[in-house]
């Protein structure tokens, strides 16, 4: 026994065909899309890690350069 979604039998049949097609597409392509989404999430996380490491490394290098410059300047002024 089929459920009536619309009062018009033609619209009801068209809706059922649409649902059948959508169900077939989900069953056919669902696992592929799920794997693709997992893959994209993984690479997004890896990309964020790489960017974070680069930014952190650059920042620490600049801090080290500033500290070295400060020590050199303060060391030269103490010796003079």
């Amino acid at each position: 026994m089929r459920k009536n979604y619309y009062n018009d039998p033609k619209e009801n049949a068209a809706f059922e065909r649409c649902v059948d097609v959508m169900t077939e597409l989900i069953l056919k392509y669902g696992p592929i899309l799920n794997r693709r989404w997992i893959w994209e999430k993984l690479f997004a996380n890896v990309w964020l890690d790489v960017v974070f490491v680069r930014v952190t490394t650059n920042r620490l290098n600049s801090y080290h350069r500033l500290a070295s410059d400060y020590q050199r300047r303060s060391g030269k002024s103490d010796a003079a």
Side-chain angles (χ1 to χ4, degrees):
M1 182 172 182
R2 292 188 173 195
K3 184 176 179 179
N4 286 330
Y5 300 99
Y6 297 97
N7 292 332
D8 185 14
K10 288 182 180 179
E11 289 181 1
N12 201 35
F15 179 74
E16 286 182 358
R17 282 195 304 272
C18 178
V19 169
D20 289 341
V21 168
M22 294 298 289
T23 303
E24 288 179 22
L25 289 172
I26 289 170
L27 291 174
K28 183 176 182 180
Y29 295 110
I32 295 168
L33 290 173
N34 193 23
R35 279 187 297 230
R36 182 176 174 189
W37 291 330
I38 290 171
W39 189 257
E40 288 174 356
K41 285 181 185 178
L42 174 69
F43 273 109
N45 291 337
V46 168
W47 182 81
L48 286 175
D49 289 344
V50 168
V51 168
F52 179 74
V53 166
R54 285 182 184 168
V55 168
T56 304
T57 303
N58 289 341
R59 187 173 294 154
L60 290 175
N61 284 337
S62 65
Y63 290 157
H64 179 71
R65 265 187 263 118
L66 288 172
S68 298
D69 290 345
Y70 177 76
Q71 285 178 349
R72 265 189 267 133
R73 288 181 187 155
S74 64
K76 287 181 181 178
S77 64
D78 289 341

